[in-house]
Structures are given as C-alpha cells and as structure tokens.
Amino acid sequence: MPPERRGRTRPERRAGARPSRKPGMKPDRKAGARPGGPPRKAAYSSQQKPPARPRAAAAAIAVAAEEERRLRQRNRLTLEEDKPAVERCLEELVFGDVEDNEDALLQRLRGRRVQAQEDSGDSEVENEAKDHFAPRKKPVWVDEEDEDEEMVDMMNNRFRKDMMKNASENKLSKNELQKRLKEEFQHAMGGVPAWIETNEWKTSSDDESDEDEDDLLQRTGNFISTSTSLPKGILKMKNCQHANAERPTCARISSVQFHPCAQVVMVAALDNSVSLFQVDGKTNPKIQSIYLEKFPIFKARFSANGEEVLATSTHSKVLYVYDMLAGKLIPVHQVRGLKEKIVRSFDVSSDGSFLLINGVAGYFHLLSMKTKELISSMKINGRIAASTFSSDSKKVYASSADGEVYVWDVNSRKCLNRFVDEGSLYGLSIATSRNGQYVACGSNCGVVNIYSQDSCLQETNPKPIKAIMNLVTGVSSLAFNPTTEILAIASEKMKEAVRLVHLPSCTVFSNFPVIKQKNISLVHTMDFSPRSGYFALGNEKGKAVMYRLHHYSDF
C-alpha cells in the first residue's frame, strides 16, 4: 500500500490531531523511496513553490471539524447506553430526534431566543438585566402562624400595662392586642361610634360606585374650588403702616372707625383732634384733621350714611356734630329733656334713625338721629355698663354692672327679656353681630360669653354657645366683623391683651397677636373695615395699628 493511503486510514487518530504532513502534499520522487521500503523524508527543493495557503487551511479546518463531530457522536452514544429507556423517550418528545444531527437542535434553540428578543421592545440593557436576574417566584407555602404567634411585650410599655387583665398576660399576640385596643376604644366612646358604622356602610356600597368613579377619572377638569368661608386656626394677615402715620400723636387713641362707604378711616385721640386718612395700606395719606378746643375726645363715630361725625368728651355734656359735606362743626350744647351732666358713651343705629346715649343711675336715652331730640328714656336696675343696638335697629341690648343683660324693644320701649350673664359679676362690654345671630358679653374677669340672639329673646336663663377664656383681665372692647366670621376681644388693663375669635367654631386664631413684636400695647378701641379687608386698633401710645386680612379681597 502506498504511504499516502496508509496515512489516511488511521482510525486511532485523536480528535483535532494534525496529520504528519500537510494534506495534498505528494512525496518527493527525488527522495529515493524504494518500493516496499520505508519512505524517505520529503524535502522541498529550493526551486519548488509551496502550495496555496487558503486551500490548505480550509481543508485542515474541515478535517478538524469532522473529527470533533465524530468524537462527540461517540461520546453521546456511550452516554445513551447508560440511560434508561424512559429518559430517552422523554428527551425525544421534548427535543425531537437528534440522533442524526445534534447541531440542528442547538441551532433551533438559539433561533428561538433570538426571535424572542426581536419580538420584545426591550433595550439591550433590559435584556441583559433579564438574563442576570431570574424572575421572582411565589413561595410554595405560607405559614399563617408566623404572624399570629409573634408576641408583644405588655410590661415594658406603660400604656399597654393598663390593658392587662391579670398578671399572667405579660405577653399578648398581635391579634389579641388589637382586640384589646378595640375594647378600650369602645369603652371610652361608650359604644361603637356612628362614623364607624357609616364607613362600613360605605365600604359595602363601594362596588356599586366603581363604574361612576371610572367615569370620573376619565374626564379632566377643575374639581377643587376655593371655599369662601374663613378657615380657622391660622389667620393670614399683614402688618401695615399705622393709620395715623402722617399725623402722629402721643395721646391715647380713644376711637378708630372705618367709613361705611369710602376707603377712609377716622382716628380720634385725647389730644382734642379727629383725623381722617385715606386707607391704602402703605402711606395712608391724611385727608383732614379737626381740632376741638378743650375737648378731649372720649368717643367718635360716623353716622350710618357716613355724612356726619359725632364726638363726645370725657368731661362735657356737649355733643359735637361735624357735617362732612358742608364742612361745618355743629355743637349740641343741650338736648331738651336730657338731664345728664356728662355725655360720654353712645351708639348709632345701623339704619341711621336713632342715637343711644348711656346715662347715670341706670338710665339710657333714645334720641332722634335727624333732629338730635330726646325720644324716650329707659331704666335698668343698677348702673349701666354698656349698650348697643341689634342689627335690625329694633332692639337694644344693655349690660349692667350687676352682670345682667336687658333686652328692650325700640318701638314700644318695653323690656322684652332679662337674664344673668353666666359667670359674670360685673359687666363691661356688649356687642351684637351684623347678621343677627350672636350676642357677645364681656365681664371684668376676662370671660366673653357668646350667646345666640334667639335664646336671649326667648329663654329666661340662656346658656352661652361658648365661653372664651383667653383673657385674664376685664374685657373692655368687643367687635364683630361685617361677615360675622371674626370676633375681636380686648382688654385695656394688660399689654397685648387682644384676641381674634373664629366663628362659628369659637376658636382663637393662634397666630395673633405676635407676642415677640409687642407693637399693640394697651388696646382701647378697634374696628373692621366694611368688607373686613382691614383691622385697626388704637392704643395708649397714640398709634392706630392696622392689619391687612388677606382672606378678604376688598376694603
């Protein structure tokens, strides 16, 4: 057999082993190979050209691949001899018949993976993350006793210790502790509250309203609206320039009032002056000042239509009337039938018809606002402390120094009701709301009782809706704002003793006054603007402190 054929038929050759000489190379005739003898080594002549490299390399790769496939086939057959028939049958069902071509199976599996990656729209980073992280599997089973058996220590907590029924209950499970807490809550509330039953009823009907909620969520729009009512807790406000900044004074401010129609504020003081200022919150320019010689002003008020200014003094019976349209100052020296030696405290009805003057010995007098003549006099027991008209100007509320409140009818001049202000020993102030809902009574002990006007007219012993006890000295000033959402209370006996009460919750605004600023001092008078946009206070230092209430957009 020639040497070339003998080299091709070696069955024992290992996989991947190269032949001793390059394939396709012929033996050198000049080497002197004898027939039947051992072949001589082939030697290339220096004149001979080497074979083409690409063809030789391709042949070598094909031979190596064939040998590798043959070796893998033999190993597979060896392994399958040891497998049971059931396992071989299962592999054929899953992977198919791969006995003849194992590479086809690998190619098919790779093709499915590539196709799945092409179908999904994930990025390369997401695909790589999916390869590295296996999907989370659900637990095979869950032990329900894991949470139930967890015990809570009852001894180391002072609140839980009170819920122990005996000494052996030093530890309770979570479910048992939850039941114990429910029992304590129901015991404190006196049963199951109504709001819990309401919530349970709503929960049972939630399924019926799912479709309506879906329809609501599919539409866009503004479902939130701003409430027009004043919220309680915090009152948004800003400290403005003092109302009388362009005419400063060192005398005590006795009266501050906003004009009912114009954006004007009046400031009266014990320095015999009444000044009018334009309200802008920045400079508050002065409009006019009126000087009354030897007439320290005790109180000054606008008429209901805003055309006149009325003023009384601390030691005179003269009543000054200033006509703003004509610019004339008219003194009323004597009112026919009025025997009072000093005229101080008075009030003007909201309809502009009457003038109420407080006298001595329990008398108060009703005058005509137009003619300034006496209509009638009424008397209560004891000394009269304060009086005011109702919002409709048909009734008069008078507070006595004995702690009683009298309600009089203006037309018939008869007493409609009389009751004791709860807890009051000495009345100091009284005020009515403009919507006819509330009556506020201030006493010398710092308590302000807020009553319903209906109860004051119908009951002989009405109970207050709320007793405001935020002041500790006598309440000398009370004022409702026009919208009946704020009640201002103040005492002239202590600095910074002023509070704003929210209605109808009857709670005090927590951000007023700012104690650290201490710019309010002793408050003697206060008032709100016609639409509650501004709030002004007069103190003993001659300053009319003014605030802008942001909740109200208008003056």
Side-chain angles (χ1 to χ4, degrees):
M1 182 182 293
E4 298 86 347
R5 188 175 300 276
R6 195 169 52 242
R8 294 176 185 170
T9 58
R10 288 182 182 175
E12 297 84 11
R13 186 186 300 176
R14 291 178 298 172
R18 292 187 178 180
S20 59
R21 62 173 181 269
K22 296 182 179 179
M25 185 180 291
K26 296 181 180 180
D28 193 358
R29 299 281 186 182
K30 295 180 181 180
R34 293 175 291 182
R40 294 186 180 180
K41 294 182 179 179
Y44 290 105
S45 172
S46 60
Q47 306 290 332
Q48 188 178 359
K49 294 181 180 181
R53 289 186 178 180
R55 185 178 297 173
I61 293 173
V63 172
E66 182 66 20
E67 292 296 331
E68 184 179 357
R69 189 188 67 78
R70 232 185 285 173
L71 181 61
R72 193 165 55 244
Q73 182 73 7
R74 188 175 61 186
N75 293 338
R76 187 180 64 80
L77 294 174
T78 305
L79 292 173
E80 286 185 353
E81 291 178 357
D82 299 334
K83 289 183 180 179
V86 178
E87 187 174 350
R88 287 199 301 270
C89 181
L90 182 60
E91 288 182 354
E92 289 181 3
L93 291 174
V94 176
F95 301 107
D97 190 6
V98 295
E99 183 177 357
D100 297 333
N101 191 358
E102 187 177 4
D103 296 334
L105 174 62
L106 297 175
Q107 185 66 25
R108 189 165 71 244
L109 294 176
R110 292 194 186 97
R112 289 179 179 175
R113 182 176 180 183
V114 172
Q115 182 67 24
Q117 292 182 356
E118 290 177 356
D119 293 342
S120 64
D122 298 339
S123 61
E124 295 179 359
V125 178
E126 292 174 346
N127 291 330
E128 185 178 355
K130 291 178 181 178
D131 293 339
H132 287 287
F133 295 96
R136 183 178 296 179
K137 297 181 179 180
K138 295 183 179 179
V140 179
W141 61 278
V142 178
D143 190 359
E144 297 179 355
E145 296 182 355
D146 288 345
E147 296 182 359
D148 297 341
E149 294 300 327
E150 186 176 351
M151 307 302 289
V152 180
D153 192 1
M154 305 289 289
M155 296 296 296
N156 296 332
N157 191 307
R158 58 173 182 165
F159 299 105
R160 296 173 185 166
K161 190 184 295 184
D162 298 335
M163 291 186 290
M164 295 173 54
K165 295 182 178 180
N166 50 58
S168 61
E169 291 184 343
N170 54 355
K171 287 186 178 181
L172 290 177
S173 63
K174 285 186 175 181
N175 290 341
E176 189 65 28
L177 179 59
Q178 185 179 8
K179 293 179 182 179
R180 197 67 57 85
L181 290 172
K182 287 182 179 179
E183 292 176 0
E184 291 290 330
F185 176 77
Q186 294 178 6
H187 178 71
M189 297 295 294
V192 180
W195 57 267
I196 294 181
E197 298 177 354
T198 304
N199 287 342
E200 291 177 354
W201 177 79
K202 288 182 178 179
T203 304
S204 62
S205 62
D206 282 345
D207 297 337
E208 300 176 0
S209 60
D210 285 345
E211 296 181 359
D212 296 338
E213 292 178 359
D214 293 340
D215 295 339
L216 179 65
L217 296 176
Q218 289 177 359
R219 292 183 287 110
T220 59
N222 186 14
F223 294 101
I224 301 176
S225 60
T226 305
S227 176
T228 57
S229 60
L230 179 67
K232 63 179 181 179
I234 301 296
L235 180 62
K236 294 182 180 180
M237 59 196 310
K238 181 183 70 172
N239 192 359
C240 302
Q241 178 69 276
H242 295 162
N244 61 338
E246 290 200 356
R247 192 194 179 280
T249 180
C250 295
R252 188 187 79 186
I253 303 296
S254 56
S255 294
V256 170
Q257 188 185 15
F258 290 94
H259 194 276
C261 304
Q263 198 163 332
V264 176
V265 62
M266 175 185 65
V267 179
L270 294 180
D271 60 353
N272 309 335
S273 66
V274 177
S275 302
L276 302 178
F277 301 91
Q278 183 75 33
V279 178
D280 62 2
K282 298 178 180 179
T283 59
N284 304 320
K286 185 181 76 170
I287 299 175
Q288 187 181 8
S289 288
I290 307 167
Y291 183 78
L292 304 176
E293 187 176 359
K294 296 181 180 180
F295 199 82
I297 297 174
F298 180 84
K299 189 173 183 177
R301 281 288 179 270
F302 284 111
S303 61
N305 56 12
E307 297 178 358
E308 295 178 342
V309 175
L310 287 77
T312 59
S313 177
T314 57
H315 59 273
S316 175
K317 64 178 181 179
V318 179
L319 173 68
Y320 273 100
V321 180
Y322 177 71
D323 190 343
M324 298 178 64
L325 299 179
K328 293 173 60 176
L329 186 63
I330 305 172
V332 180
H333 294 282
Q334 183 67 39
V335 176
R336 182 179 301 178
L338 186 64
K339 299 180 181 180
E340 301 291 342
K341 295 182 179 180
I342 297 176
V343 176
R344 287 184 177 181
S345 180
F346 68 94
D347 193 22
V348 180
S349 64
S350 58
D351 63 354
S353 302
F354 303 105
L355 177 67
L356 187 66
I357 296 178
N358 295 337
V360 295
Y363 283 96
F364 58 97
H365 312 280
L366 191 65
L367 281 70
S368 171
M369 188 65 188
K370 185 177 182 180
T371 61
K372 309 301 185 294
E373 293 182 353
L374 181 65
I375 297 175
S376 177
S377 296
M378 292 161 279
K379 186 181 184 303
I380 65 173
N381 296 335
R383 187 178 68 84
I384 186 167
S387 62
T388 185
F389 284 99
S390 62
S391 57
D392 56 3
S393 303
K394 294 181 179 180
K395 301 175 184 63
V396 173
Y397 290 83
S399 177
S400 71
D402 298 334
E404 292 183 327
V405 178
Y406 294 80
V407 184
W408 291 75
D409 182 69
V410 174
N411 294 328
S412 63
R413 269 85 69 184
K414 292 183 179 180
C415 183
L416 301 178
N417 195 14
R418 169 187 172 187
F419 64 90
V420 177
D421 184 16
E422 188 175 86
S424 174
L425 300 176
Y426 193 101
L428 288 180
S429 56
I430 191 169
T432 58
S433 63
R434 298 193 186 183
N435 66 348
Q437 185 176 0
Y438 300 109
V439 176
C441 302
S443 64
N444 64 333
C445 58
V447 179
V448 178
N449 289 327
I450 301 176
Y451 296 91
S452 169
Q453 286 196 24
D454 294 336
S455 64
C456 294
L457 295 173
Q458 300 171 3
E459 301 178 14
T460 57
N461 189 21
K463 297 295 179 182
I465 300 172
K466 181 72 174 180
I468 310 298
M469 301 183 182
N470 293 79
L471 301 180
V472 295
T473 54
V475 182
S476 55
S477 300
L478 293 171
F480 286 94
N481 79 318
T483 62
T484 318
E485 293 178 311
I486 303 174
L487 169 63
I489 62 176
S491 174
E492 61 184 10
K493 300 297 183 181
M494 180 178 291
K495 292 184 177 181
E496 314 298 319
V498 57
R499 299 292 185 270
L500 296 179
V501 182
H502 174 265
L503 298 173
S505 67
C506 298
T507 57
V508 175
F509 290 102
S510 60
N511 62 322
F512 183 83
V514 182
I515 304 298
K516 294 182 180 179
Q517 295 181 0
K518 293 184 178 181
N519 59 344
I520 296 179
S521 193
L522 299 177
V523 177
H524 291 270
T525 179
M526 53 192 178
D527 189 35
F528 291 92
S529 62
R531 293 177 179 82
S532 305
Y534 288 88
F535 174 58
L537 310 97
N539 60 22
E540 91 285 0
K541 295 182 179 180
K543 295 180 181 180
V545 185
M546 192 165 63
Y547 294 90
R548 176 72 174 93
L549 306 184
H550 294 297
H551 177 78
Y552 305 99
S553 58
D554 204 353
F555 172 77

